[in-house]
Amino acid sequence: MFRLSSRLSNNTAAQAVQSVRVLSNQAGLTAMVGSANIARMRVMTGVLAQSASYSSVPRQMTQQMTLKEVGIMDPYVIPEKENRPSLFNDYKTWIKYAKLRMRNTGMTAASTLGMCWKLKDFGITGRFLSESEEAYIGMNEAFAKGDRKYLEEICTPSMYAKLKGQLKDRVGRYEWKYHGLIEKPQIVSIRQGQIGGHVLIQMIVRLHSNQSMGVFDKKNKLIAGDLKKSVPVLEYLVFQRYITDPEDNWRILGKTSPSPVSS
């Protein structure tokens, strides 16, 4: 799995401030997964969106300290523009939305500042986003091929356990194709936590792309999907890393989706 340098540098503070500005500007550009896209996503990838906490799975750290996965610390993602409440039509709901958005922006900014002191290259967000797209492609290709070894490498233990279970249950041969991005990837949320003296970072990345999927039987006959027809898929991947562990890498913890603001 990809990783960024953990060495400190003299320009870390400047990178941190710049990253906060970029993320603050992006805060209004997050999107909501529509019901049609969710249905397509489930058929296309066989990977169900994960919005609930995962079961605790022990993992071994470099310092020989066993930590447990904590699930997604904060799965909240603000709705897409067309799904946001209107200030003029629904004032009370808009106030709730505005508070949630301000909270998300503030917590993301604070977590970014804390992370930039540890990760030298995080200020270069374009690099992380490019590598997160590659990780997303790799996960879907490995899932289609049934490559458990690569899935175990690129995912956290809990995410791998879920995908492994889905591989056991599926029928037929799968093929998956990636047809490129519709929009550039965006970091829409960053959260920082501390477990057993170690700092944990989780980042939610918005990925909007065109994909196609085909399922074939034993006679190589297409029984579901269409590899020649691409469909738009909007997903939010949660990446995780213990940044105080020099041997830990960014891994895919799961998925989440925006929740509508209720009145």
Side-chain angles (χ1 to χ4, degrees), residues 49-55 70-72 75 162 253-256:
Q50 308 296 331
S51 58
S53 297
Y54 298 124
S55 301
V70 296
I72 301 176
K162 290 180 178 291
L253 172 65
K255 299 181 182 181
T256 185

Side-chain angles (χ1 to χ4, degrees), residues 93-108:
T93 304
W94 183 87
I95 289 294
K96 290 182 179 180
Y97 155 74
K99 289 180 178 179
L100 287 170
R101 179 171 177 171
M102 289 178 62
R103 171 183 172 273
N104 180 67
T105 301
M107 294 183 70
T108 294

Side-chain angles (χ1 to χ4, degrees), residues 150-196:
Y150 187 75
L151 287 174
E152 188 174 17
E153 177 184 342
I154 205 169
C155 299
T156 62
S158 60
M159 181 64 171
Y160 171 68
K162 290 180 178 291
L163 298 182
K164 184 179 178 180
Q166 292 175 21
L167 286 174
K168 291 180 179 178
D169 295 336
R170 75 182 187 183
V171 178
R173 178 178 61 84
Y174 281 55
E175 287 190 23
W176 179 85
K177 289 186 178 181
Y178 185 72
H179 299 277
L181 291 168
I182 298 174
E183 300 176 77
K184 291 182 179 180
Q186 298 172 3
I187 298 174
V188 299
S189 173
I190 302 177
R191 294 293 183 268
Q192 177 176 306
Q194 188 165 338
I195 303 175

